[in-house]
Amino acid sequence: MRRFYYTEYLNAKERENEPGRSLVTSVSLNGRKYEVTIIKSRVESEDLVRIILLITLGVTIILLLALMLINRFVLNRLWRPFYAILNHMKTYELTKMGDIVQEPTHIDEFRELNRSANAMAARVKQDYKELKSFADNASHEMMTPLAIINSKLDSLLQTESFTAEQGEILEDIYHGVGRLFRLNQSLLLLAKIENNLIPDLQEIAMEELVANKTRQFQELFEKDGLVLHLELAPCTVQMSKYLADILLNNLLSNAIRHNHTGGTVSIKLQANSLQISNTGKNAALDHQLFERFSKSAASEGMGLGLAIGKQICALYGFAIRYAYQHQQHQFTINFKP
Protein backbone atom coordinates (compact mmCIF):
# COMPACT_ATOMS: atom_id res chain seq x y z
CA MET A 1 0.00 0.00 0.00
CA ARG A 2 1.36 3.37 -1.00
CA ARG A 3 0.69 6.71 0.67
CA PHE A 4 1.65 10.22 -0.42
CA TYR A 5 1.67 13.24 1.85
CA TYR A 6 3.39 16.62 2.30
CA THR A 7 5.92 16.92 5.04
CA GLU A 8 9.12 18.64 6.06
CA TYR A 9 12.56 17.09 6.25
CA LEU A 10 16.03 18.11 7.36
CA ASN A 11 18.32 18.98 4.48
CA ALA A 12 21.68 17.79 5.82
CA LYS A 13 23.59 19.81 3.20
CA GLU A 14 21.78 23.08 3.85
CA ARG A 15 21.20 22.20 7.51
CA GLU A 16 17.63 23.53 7.47
CA ASN A 17 14.11 22.18 7.23
CA GLU A 18 12.62 22.24 3.74
CA PRO A 19 9.17 21.33 2.41
CA GLY A 20 8.94 17.99 0.69
CA ARG A 21 6.63 15.27 -0.55
CA SER A 22 6.80 11.81 0.95
CA LEU A 23 6.07 8.37 -0.49
CA VAL A 24 5.50 5.66 2.11
CA THR A 25 5.43 2.08 0.82
CA SER A 26 6.44 -1.42 1.90
CA VAL A 27 8.88 -3.91 0.34
CA SER A 28 9.68 -7.59 1.07
CA LEU A 29 13.28 -8.61 1.52
CA ASN A 30 14.40 -12.13 2.54
CA GLY A 31 10.91 -12.92 3.69
CA ARG A 32 10.62 -9.84 5.84
CA LYS A 33 8.59 -6.72 5.17
CA TYR A 34 10.11 -3.30 5.50
CA GLU A 35 8.42 0.16 5.44
CA VAL A 36 10.25 2.51 3.10
CA THR A 37 9.85 6.31 3.15
CA ILE A 38 11.06 8.35 0.16
CA ILE A 39 11.11 12.15 0.50
CA LYS A 40 11.60 14.51 -2.44
CA SER A 41 12.20 18.23 -1.99
CA ARG A 42 9.56 20.62 -3.28
CA VAL A 43 11.87 23.64 -3.24
CA GLU A 44 13.16 23.08 -6.77
CA SER A 45 9.61 22.66 -8.15
CA GLU A 46 8.45 25.91 -6.55
CA ASP A 47 11.51 27.72 -7.87
CA LEU A 48 10.79 26.35 -11.32
CA VAL A 49 7.16 27.56 -11.17
CA ARG A 50 8.32 30.96 -9.97
CA ILE A 51 10.84 31.25 -12.81
CA ILE A 52 8.21 30.22 -15.39
CA LEU A 53 5.79 32.83 -13.98
CA LEU A 54 8.42 35.58 -14.08
CA ILE A 55 9.38 34.69 -17.66
CA THR A 56 5.71 34.72 -18.71
CA LEU A 57 5.11 38.11 -17.10
CA GLY A 58 8.29 39.51 -18.63
CA VAL A 59 7.34 38.33 -22.13
CA THR A 60 3.80 39.72 -21.70
CA ILE A 61 5.11 43.14 -20.61
CA ILE A 62 7.56 43.22 -23.52
CA LEU A 63 4.76 42.37 -25.99
CA LEU A 64 2.51 45.08 -24.53
CA LEU A 65 5.26 47.67 -24.76
CA ALA A 66 5.97 46.60 -28.34
CA LEU A 67 2.26 46.93 -29.24
CA MET A 68 2.11 50.39 -27.67
CA LEU A 69 5.15 51.53 -29.60
CA ILE A 70 3.76 50.08 -32.84
CA ASN A 71 0.41 51.77 -32.22
CA ARG A 72 2.08 55.07 -31.39
CA PHE A 73 4.48 55.31 -34.29
CA VAL A 74 3.16 53.03 -37.01
CA LEU A 75 -0.64 53.12 -36.66
CA ASN A 76 -0.72 56.82 -35.82
CA ARG A 77 1.23 57.57 -38.96
CA LEU A 78 -1.06 55.25 -40.91
CA TRP A 79 -4.26 56.97 -39.64
CA ARG A 80 -2.88 60.51 -39.76
CA PRO A 81 -4.63 61.41 -43.08
CA PHE A 82 -7.96 60.17 -41.70
CA TYR A 83 -7.76 62.32 -38.57
CA ALA A 84 -6.61 65.30 -40.65
CA ILE A 85 -9.66 64.97 -42.94
CA LEU A 86 -11.90 64.56 -39.90
CA ASN A 87 -10.47 67.71 -38.33
CA HIS A 88 -11.02 69.68 -41.55
CA MET A 89 -14.65 68.53 -41.57
CA LYS A 90 -15.13 69.56 -37.93
CA THR A 91 -13.68 73.03 -38.47
CA TYR A 92 -15.31 73.60 -41.87
CA GLU A 93 -17.16 76.94 -42.01
CA LEU A 94 -19.87 77.13 -44.62
CA THR A 95 -20.00 80.91 -44.66
CA LYS A 96 -16.38 81.08 -45.88
CA MET A 97 -17.32 78.93 -48.91
CA GLY A 98 -14.00 77.10 -48.83
CA ASP A 99 -13.08 73.52 -49.72
CA ILE A 100 -11.94 70.70 -47.46
CA VAL A 101 -8.15 70.49 -47.83
CA GLN A 102 -6.94 67.47 -49.79
CA GLU A 103 -4.69 65.28 -47.64
CA PRO A 104 -1.87 63.51 -49.53
CA THR A 105 -2.20 59.76 -48.92
CA HIS A 106 -1.52 56.50 -50.72
CA ILE A 107 -4.45 54.66 -49.09
CA ASP A 108 -7.38 54.26 -51.47
CA GLU A 109 -10.01 54.40 -48.71
CA PHE A 110 -8.73 57.75 -47.43
CA ARG A 111 -8.59 59.14 -50.97
CA GLU A 112 -12.23 58.14 -51.41
CA LEU A 113 -13.09 59.78 -48.07
CA ASN A 114 -11.39 62.97 -49.25
CA ARG A 115 -13.34 62.99 -52.50
CA SER A 116 -16.64 62.25 -50.72
CA ALA A 117 -16.06 65.00 -48.14
CA ASN A 118 -15.38 67.58 -50.85
CA ALA A 119 -18.37 66.42 -52.87
CA MET A 120 -20.55 66.81 -49.77
CA ALA A 121 -19.09 70.29 -49.14
CA ALA A 122 -19.88 71.28 -52.72
CA ARG A 123 -23.51 70.17 -52.37
CA VAL A 124 -23.88 71.97 -49.04
CA LYS A 125 -22.39 75.17 -50.52
CA GLN A 126 -24.85 75.01 -53.41
CA ASP A 127 -27.78 74.53 -51.03
CA TYR A 128 -26.46 77.39 -48.89
CA LYS A 129 -26.27 79.72 -51.91
CA GLU A 130 -29.81 78.80 -52.93
CA LEU A 131 -31.14 79.34 -49.41
CA LYS A 132 -29.36 82.69 -49.11
CA SER A 133 -30.73 83.74 -52.47
CA PHE A 134 -34.22 82.64 -51.44
CA ALA A 135 -34.05 84.58 -48.17
CA ASP A 136 -32.88 87.74 -49.95
CA ASN A 137 -35.44 87.45 -52.74
CA ALA A 138 -38.28 86.57 -50.38
CA SER A 139 -37.51 89.58 -48.21
CA HIS A 140 -37.73 91.86 -51.21
CA GLU A 141 -40.62 90.22 -53.06
CA MET A 142 -42.89 89.84 -50.04
CA MET A 143 -42.37 93.43 -48.89
CA THR A 144 -43.54 94.77 -52.25
CA PRO A 145 -47.14 93.41 -52.20
CA LEU A 146 -47.48 94.32 -48.52
CA ALA A 147 -46.46 97.89 -49.30
CA ILE A 148 -48.96 97.94 -52.19
CA ILE A 149 -51.76 96.72 -49.91
CA ASN A 150 -50.99 99.44 -47.38
CA SER A 151 -50.89 102.06 -50.12
CA LYS A 152 -54.23 100.92 -51.58
CA LEU A 153 -55.81 100.95 -48.14
CA ASP A 154 -54.62 104.52 -47.61
CA SER A 155 -56.08 105.51 -50.98
CA LEU A 156 -59.33 103.76 -50.18
CA LEU A 157 -59.68 105.64 -46.90
CA GLN A 158 -59.31 108.97 -48.73
CA THR A 159 -61.98 108.29 -51.35
CA GLU A 160 -65.19 108.54 -49.32
CA SER A 161 -66.67 108.13 -45.88
CA PHE A 162 -67.41 104.68 -44.50
CA THR A 163 -69.93 103.24 -42.16
CA ALA A 164 -68.89 102.01 -38.73
CA GLU A 165 -69.04 98.42 -39.96
CA GLN A 166 -66.85 99.20 -42.97
CA GLY A 167 -64.41 101.05 -40.71
CA GLU A 168 -64.09 97.99 -38.47
CA ILE A 169 -63.42 95.82 -41.52
CA LEU A 170 -60.70 98.20 -42.72
CA GLU A 171 -59.17 98.28 -39.22
CA ASP A 172 -59.06 94.47 -39.20
CA ILE A 173 -57.37 94.54 -42.61
CA TYR A 174 -54.75 97.00 -41.31
CA HIS A 175 -54.07 94.78 -38.31
CA GLY A 176 -53.81 91.72 -40.54
CA VAL A 177 -51.39 93.39 -42.95
CA GLY A 178 -49.25 94.69 -40.07
CA ARG A 179 -49.20 91.24 -38.48
CA LEU A 180 -48.25 89.65 -41.81
CA PHE A 181 -45.46 92.23 -42.24
CA ARG A 182 -44.02 91.46 -38.78
CA LEU A 183 -44.39 87.73 -39.28
CA ASN A 184 -42.54 87.90 -42.58
CA GLN A 185 -39.73 89.92 -41.04
CA SER A 186 -39.42 87.56 -38.07
CA LEU A 187 -39.36 84.35 -40.13
CA LEU A 188 -36.79 85.78 -42.52
CA LEU A 189 -34.69 86.90 -39.57
CA LEU A 190 -34.86 83.38 -38.10
CA ALA A 191 -33.74 81.92 -41.42
CA LYS A 192 -30.80 84.33 -41.59
CA ILE A 193 -29.76 83.59 -38.00
CA GLU A 194 -29.99 79.81 -38.44
CA ASN A 195 -27.82 79.97 -41.55
CA ASN A 196 -25.40 82.56 -40.13
CA LEU A 197 -26.16 85.12 -42.81
CA ILE A 198 -25.46 88.08 -40.50
CA PRO A 199 -21.66 88.08 -40.19
CA ASP A 200 -20.97 91.55 -38.68
CA LEU A 201 -19.12 90.23 -35.61
CA GLN A 202 -17.76 92.90 -33.27
CA GLU A 203 -17.02 93.68 -29.64
CA ILE A 204 -20.04 95.18 -27.90
CA ALA A 205 -20.11 96.96 -24.56
CA MET A 206 -23.35 95.49 -23.25
CA GLU A 207 -23.69 97.97 -20.38
CA GLU A 208 -23.89 100.85 -22.88
CA LEU A 209 -26.30 98.98 -25.15
CA VAL A 210 -28.59 98.05 -22.24
CA ALA A 211 -28.56 101.61 -20.91
CA ASN A 212 -29.46 103.02 -24.35
CA LYS A 213 -32.17 100.41 -24.83
CA THR A 214 -33.84 101.19 -21.48
CA ARG A 215 -33.93 104.89 -22.43
CA GLN A 216 -35.70 103.95 -25.67
CA PHE A 217 -38.30 101.94 -23.72
CA GLN A 218 -38.75 104.64 -21.05
CA GLU A 219 -42.10 105.81 -22.41
CA LEU A 220 -43.47 102.27 -22.39
CA PHE A 221 -42.34 101.82 -18.78
CA GLU A 222 -44.07 105.06 -17.79
CA LYS A 223 -47.22 104.24 -19.76
CA ASP A 224 -47.84 101.07 -17.73
CA GLY A 225 -46.48 102.51 -14.49
CA LEU A 226 -43.63 99.99 -14.40
CA VAL A 227 -40.73 100.47 -12.01
CA LEU A 228 -37.31 99.78 -13.57
CA HIS A 229 -34.39 98.49 -11.49
CA LEU A 230 -30.99 98.66 -13.20
CA GLU A 231 -27.76 97.03 -12.05
CA LEU A 232 -25.12 97.28 -14.76
CA ALA A 233 -21.54 96.04 -14.58
CA PRO A 234 -18.98 96.22 -17.42
CA CYS A 235 -19.55 93.41 -19.89
CA THR A 236 -18.03 92.88 -23.35
CA VAL A 237 -19.54 90.38 -25.80
CA GLN A 238 -18.45 89.27 -29.28
CA MET A 239 -21.52 89.26 -31.53
CA SER A 240 -23.45 91.18 -34.18
CA LYS A 241 -24.65 94.54 -32.87
CA TYR A 242 -27.77 94.19 -35.00
CA LEU A 243 -28.62 90.85 -33.36
CA ALA A 244 -27.71 92.13 -29.90
CA ASP A 245 -30.19 94.97 -30.42
CA ILE A 246 -32.89 92.52 -31.53
CA LEU A 247 -32.17 90.24 -28.55
CA LEU A 248 -32.60 93.08 -26.05
CA ASN A 249 -35.67 94.39 -27.89
CA ASN A 250 -37.40 91.01 -27.69
CA LEU A 251 -36.58 90.40 -24.01
CA LEU A 252 -37.61 93.90 -22.89
CA SER A 253 -40.78 93.84 -25.01
CA ASN A 254 -41.63 90.47 -23.48
CA ALA A 255 -41.04 91.84 -19.93
CA ILE A 256 -43.34 94.83 -20.61
CA ARG A 257 -46.06 93.01 -22.56
CA HIS A 258 -46.53 90.27 -19.97
CA ASN A 259 -46.36 92.57 -16.94
CA HIS A 260 -49.16 94.25 -15.00
CA THR A 261 -49.78 97.89 -14.22
CA GLY A 262 -47.48 99.10 -11.44
CA GLY A 263 -45.24 96.06 -11.79
CA THR A 264 -41.45 95.93 -11.87
CA VAL A 265 -38.75 95.12 -14.43
CA SER A 266 -35.26 94.32 -13.13
CA ILE A 267 -32.16 94.20 -15.32
CA LYS A 268 -28.96 92.81 -13.83
CA LEU A 269 -25.87 92.78 -16.04
CA GLN A 270 -22.71 91.07 -14.82
CA ALA A 271 -19.38 90.34 -16.50
CA ASN A 272 -20.63 87.05 -18.01
CA SER A 273 -24.41 87.14 -17.74
CA LEU A 274 -27.55 89.20 -18.27
CA GLN A 275 -30.76 88.67 -16.27
CA ILE A 276 -34.08 90.36 -17.04
CA SER A 277 -36.85 89.78 -14.47
CA ASN A 278 -40.43 91.01 -14.43
CA THR A 279 -43.61 90.63 -12.45
CA GLY A 280 -46.71 89.32 -14.17
CA LYS A 281 -48.73 86.12 -14.11
CA ASN A 282 -48.43 84.42 -10.71
CA ALA A 283 -47.40 81.08 -12.18
CA ALA A 284 -44.51 79.64 -14.14
CA LEU A 285 -44.77 79.83 -17.93
CA ASP A 286 -45.02 76.85 -20.24
CA HIS A 287 -41.70 75.01 -20.70
CA GLN A 288 -42.16 75.39 -24.48
CA LEU A 289 -41.99 79.19 -24.36
CA PHE A 290 -38.81 79.19 -26.51
CA GLU A 291 -40.54 77.24 -29.31
CA ARG A 292 -41.84 79.02 -32.40
CA PHE A 293 -45.43 80.31 -32.17
CA SER A 294 -45.60 79.29 -28.50
CA LYS A 295 -47.69 81.89 -26.64
CA SER A 296 -50.54 82.22 -24.21
CA ALA A 297 -54.12 82.64 -25.41
CA ALA A 298 -54.23 86.22 -24.13
CA SER A 299 -51.01 87.27 -25.89
CA GLU A 300 -51.25 89.57 -28.91
CA GLY A 301 -47.76 88.72 -30.13
CA MET A 302 -46.81 86.14 -32.73
CA GLY A 303 -44.87 83.84 -30.41
CA LEU A 304 -41.57 84.37 -32.23
CA GLY A 305 -39.74 86.84 -29.98
CA LEU A 306 -38.29 84.32 -27.53
CA ALA A 307 -37.66 81.82 -30.34
CA ILE A 308 -35.55 84.45 -32.11
CA GLY A 309 -33.75 85.22 -28.85
CA LYS A 310 -32.95 81.56 -28.29
CA GLN A 311 -31.67 81.21 -31.87
CA ILE A 312 -29.41 84.26 -31.46
CA CYS A 313 -27.97 82.78 -28.26
CA ALA A 314 -27.42 79.41 -29.95
CA LEU A 315 -25.60 81.12 -32.83
CA TYR A 316 -22.96 82.56 -30.48
CA GLY A 317 -22.85 79.70 -27.98
CA PHE A 318 -24.72 81.56 -25.24
CA ALA A 319 -27.04 79.75 -22.83
CA ILE A 320 -30.51 81.19 -22.17
CA ARG A 321 -32.84 79.82 -19.51
CA TYR A 322 -36.12 80.71 -17.85
CA ALA A 323 -37.08 80.42 -14.17
CA TYR A 324 -39.95 81.57 -11.97
CA GLN A 325 -38.58 82.67 -8.60
CA HIS A 326 -39.79 85.09 -5.91
CA GLN A 327 -42.93 85.81 -7.99
CA GLN A 328 -40.72 87.02 -10.85
CA HIS A 329 -40.27 85.65 -14.35
CA GLN A 330 -36.49 85.52 -14.90
CA PHE A 331 -34.72 85.21 -18.25
CA THR A 332 -30.97 84.69 -17.83
CA ILE A 333 -28.36 84.69 -20.59
CA ASN A 334 -24.97 83.22 -19.77
CA PHE A 335 -22.42 84.57 -22.23
CA LYS A 336 -19.75 82.02 -21.21
CA PRO A 337 -21.58 78.79 -20.32
Side-chain angles (χ1 to χ4, degrees), residues 206-207 231-236 268-271:
M206 288 298 292
E207 69 276 11
E231 186 179 339
L232 305 181
C235 175
T236 303
K268 184 178 181 180
L269 179 66
Q270 296 178 317

mmCIF file of all heavy atoms in Angstrom, residues 206-207 231-236 268-271:
data_model
loop_
_atom_site.group_PDB
_atom_site.id
_atom_site.type_symbol
_atom_site.label_atom_id
_atom_site.label_comp_id
_atom_site.label_asym_id
_atom_site.label_seq_id
_atom_site.Cartn_x
_atom_site.Cartn_y
_atom_site.Cartn_z
ATOM 1 N N MET A 206 -21.945 95.759 -23.532
ATOM 2 C CA MET A 206 -23.349 95.492 -23.249
ATOM 3 C C MET A 206 -23.943 96.491 -22.270
ATOM 4 O O MET A 206 -25.136 96.813 -22.349
ATOM 5 C CB MET A 206 -23.496 94.072 -22.691
ATOM 6 C CG MET A 206 -23.294 92.970 -23.720
ATOM 7 S SD MET A 206 -24.492 93.020 -25.070
ATOM 8 C CE MET A 206 -25.994 92.593 -24.211
ATOM 9 N N GLU A 207 -23.135 97.019 -21.341
ATOM 10 C CA GLU A 207 -23.689 97.967 -20.375
ATOM 11 C C GLU A 207 -24.180 99.243 -21.068
ATOM 12 O O GLU A 207 -25.212 99.813 -20.700
ATOM 13 C CB GLU A 207 -22.658 98.298 -19.282
ATOM 14 C CG GLU A 207 -21.440 99.117 -19.723
ATOM 15 C CD GLU A 207 -20.335 98.281 -20.332
ATOM 16 O OE1 GLU A 207 -20.585 97.082 -20.602
ATOM 17 O OE2 GLU A 207 -19.228 98.824 -20.522
ATOM 18 N N GLU A 231 -29.036 97.343 -12.710
ATOM 19 C CA GLU A 231 -27.765 97.026 -12.050
ATOM 20 C C GLU A 231 -26.794 96.584 -13.143
ATOM 21 O O GLU A 231 -26.811 95.431 -13.579
ATOM 22 C CB GLU A 231 -27.964 95.909 -11.013
ATOM 23 C CG GLU A 231 -26.709 95.623 -10.187
ATOM 24 C CD GLU A 231 -26.942 94.534 -9.146
ATOM 25 O OE1 GLU A 231 -28.116 94.293 -8.780
ATOM 26 O OE2 GLU A 231 -25.942 93.908 -8.717
ATOM 27 N N LEU A 232 -25.971 97.523 -13.600
ATOM 28 C CA LEU A 232 -25.123 97.280 -14.761
ATOM 29 C C LEU A 232 -23.658 97.256 -14.373
ATOM 30 O O LEU A 232 -23.153 98.197 -13.765
ATOM 31 C CB LEU A 232 -25.348 98.356 -15.831
ATOM 32 C CG LEU A 232 -26.795 98.554 -16.314
ATOM 33 C CD1 LEU A 232 -26.849 99.639 -17.376
ATOM 34 C CD2 LEU A 232 -27.359 97.243 -16.848
ATOM 35 N N ALA A 233 -22.984 96.172 -14.759
ATOM 36 C CA ALA A 233 -21.538 96.041 -14.583
ATOM 37 C C ALA A 233 -20.904 95.957 -15.968
ATOM 38 O O ALA A 233 -21.562 95.598 -16.937
ATOM 39 C CB ALA A 233 -21.207 94.793 -13.757
ATOM 40 N N PRO A 234 -19.634 96.321 -16.103
ATOM 41 C CA PRO A 234 -18.977 96.225 -17.418
ATOM 42 C C PRO A 234 -19.052 94.799 -17.984
ATOM 43 O O PRO A 234 -18.797 93.828 -17.275
ATOM 44 C CB PRO A 234 -17.538 96.641 -17.118
ATOM 45 C CG PRO A 234 -17.625 97.462 -15.887
ATOM 46 C CD PRO A 234 -18.739 96.880 -15.073
ATOM 47 N N CYS A 235 -19.418 94.712 -19.238
ATOM 48 C CA CYS A 235 -19.550 93.405 -19.894
ATOM 49 C C CYS A 235 -19.295 93.583 -21.385
ATOM 50 O O CYS A 235 -19.945 94.405 -22.037
ATOM 51 C CB CYS A 235 -20.939 92.827 -19.643
ATOM 52 S SG CYS A 235 -21.266 91.278 -20.534
ATOM 53 N N THR A 236 -18.360 92.828 -21.925
ATOM 54 C CA THR A 236 -18.031 92.880 -23.351
ATOM 55 C C THR A 236 -18.367 91.541 -24.001
ATOM 56 O O THR A 236 -17.981 90.493 -23.497
ATOM 57 C CB THR A 236 -16.546 93.198 -23.558
ATOM 58 O OG1 THR A 236 -16.233 94.430 -22.910
ATOM 59 C CG2 THR A 236 -16.218 93.322 -25.045
ATOM 60 N N LYS A 268 -30.230 92.983 -14.538
ATOM 61 C CA LYS A 268 -28.963 92.806 -13.831
ATOM 62 C C LYS A 268 -27.917 92.293 -14.815
ATOM 63 O O LYS A 268 -28.007 91.164 -15.305
ATOM 64 C CB LYS A 268 -29.125 91.811 -12.667
ATOM 65 C CG LYS A 268 -27.874 91.643 -11.823
ATOM 66 C CD LYS A 268 -28.123 90.685 -10.663
ATOM 67 C CE LYS A 268 -26.878 90.526 -9.800
ATOM 68 N NZ LYS A 268 -27.110 89.588 -8.670
ATOM 69 N N LEU A 269 -26.942 93.137 -15.106
ATOM 70 C CA LEU A 269 -25.871 92.784 -16.042
ATOM 71 C C LEU A 269 -24.576 92.565 -15.266
ATOM 72 O O LEU A 269 -24.133 93.456 -14.531
ATOM 73 C CB LEU A 269 -25.680 93.884 -17.082
ATOM 74 C CG LEU A 269 -24.567 93.651 -18.112
ATOM 75 C CD1 LEU A 269 -24.886 92.465 -19.015
ATOM 76 C CD2 LEU A 269 -24.340 94.914 -18.946
ATOM 77 N N GLN A 270 -23.997 91.392 -15.424
ATOM 78 C CA GLN A 270 -22.710 91.073 -14.816
ATOM 79 C C GLN A 270 -21.686 90.818 -15.918
ATOM 80 O O GLN A 270 -22.005 90.894 -17.108
ATOM 81 C CB GLN A 270 -22.846 89.867 -13.890
ATOM 82 C CG GLN A 270 -23.769 90.125 -12.700
ATOM 83 C CD GLN A 270 -23.930 88.914 -11.807
ATOM 84 O OE1 GLN A 270 -24.083 87.802 -12.291
ATOM 85 N NE2 GLN A 270 -23.865 89.133 -10.493
ATOM 86 N N ALA A 271 -20.463 90.492 -15.527
ATOM 87 C CA ALA A 271 -19.380 90.343 -16.500
ATOM 88 C C ALA A 271 -19.682 89.253 -17.525
ATOM 89 O O ALA A 271 -19.291 89.368 -18.691
ATOM 90 C CB ALA A 271 -18.067 90.042 -15.782
#
